[in-house]
């Protein structure tokens, strides 16, 4: 059995899904600091949605309604989480 690039990418997306879900769970049940909790949640959301989008693109069957909804809503959630991650970062060295 030979592995091609698509199979490796799908396997990596499942690993990213597990890590993202773990970060999401840690944000709910493990972290007590509000900012760190929010950052763990946002990192988990980015990993979960991006890995799901990769698997949607890599599938061989035609896309259903849920797939199309994920294609349009997934990037919005990713962008919102990345924006919030940028806003909750620590102070920049050297001011402002």
């Amino acid at each position: 059995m030979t592995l091609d690039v698509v199979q490796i990418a799908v396997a990596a997306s499942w690993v990213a899904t597990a890590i993202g879900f773990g970060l999401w769970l840690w944000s709910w049940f493990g972290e007590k600091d509000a900012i760190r909790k929010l950052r763990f949640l946002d990192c988990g959301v980015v990993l979960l949605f991006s890995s799901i989008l990769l698997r949607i693109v890599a599938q061989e069957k035609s896309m259903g309604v849920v797939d199309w909804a994920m294609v349009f809503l997934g990037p919005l959630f990713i962008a919102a989480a990345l924006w919030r991650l940028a806003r909750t970062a620590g102070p920049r060295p050297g001011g402002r």
Side-chain angles (χ1 to χ4, degrees):
M1 179 174 148
T2 61
L3 291 175
D4 63 347
V5 177
V6 175
Q7 290 175 334
I8 293 171
V10 170
S13 78
W14 280 109
V15 171
T17 299
I19 294 170
F21 190 67
L23 287 171
W24 185 79
L25 285 176
W26 182 256
S27 75
W28 279 97
F29 301 113
E31 188 58 50
K32 302 300 180 212
D33 181 43
I35 297 297
R36 289 185 67 188
K37 183 176 191 170
L38 187 65
R39 290 182 62 81
F40 278 124
L41 179 69
D42 288 337
C43 288
V45 164
V46 169
L47 282 171
L48 281 171
F49 276 97
S50 60
S51 62
I52 290 170
L53 286 174
L54 185 136
R55 286 194 303 273
I56 288 173
V57 170
Q59 72 184 355
E60 293 182 7
K61 66 179 184 119
S62 62
M63 292 175 44
V65 175
V66 175
D67 294 336
W68 280 109
M70 285 297 296
V71 166
F72 287 112
L73 293 177
L76 292 174
F77 281 101
I78 292 170
L82 290 174
W83 179 83
R84 198 161 55 180
L85 278 168
R87 296 293 179 201
T88 59
R92 294 181 187 166
R96 300 191 112 169

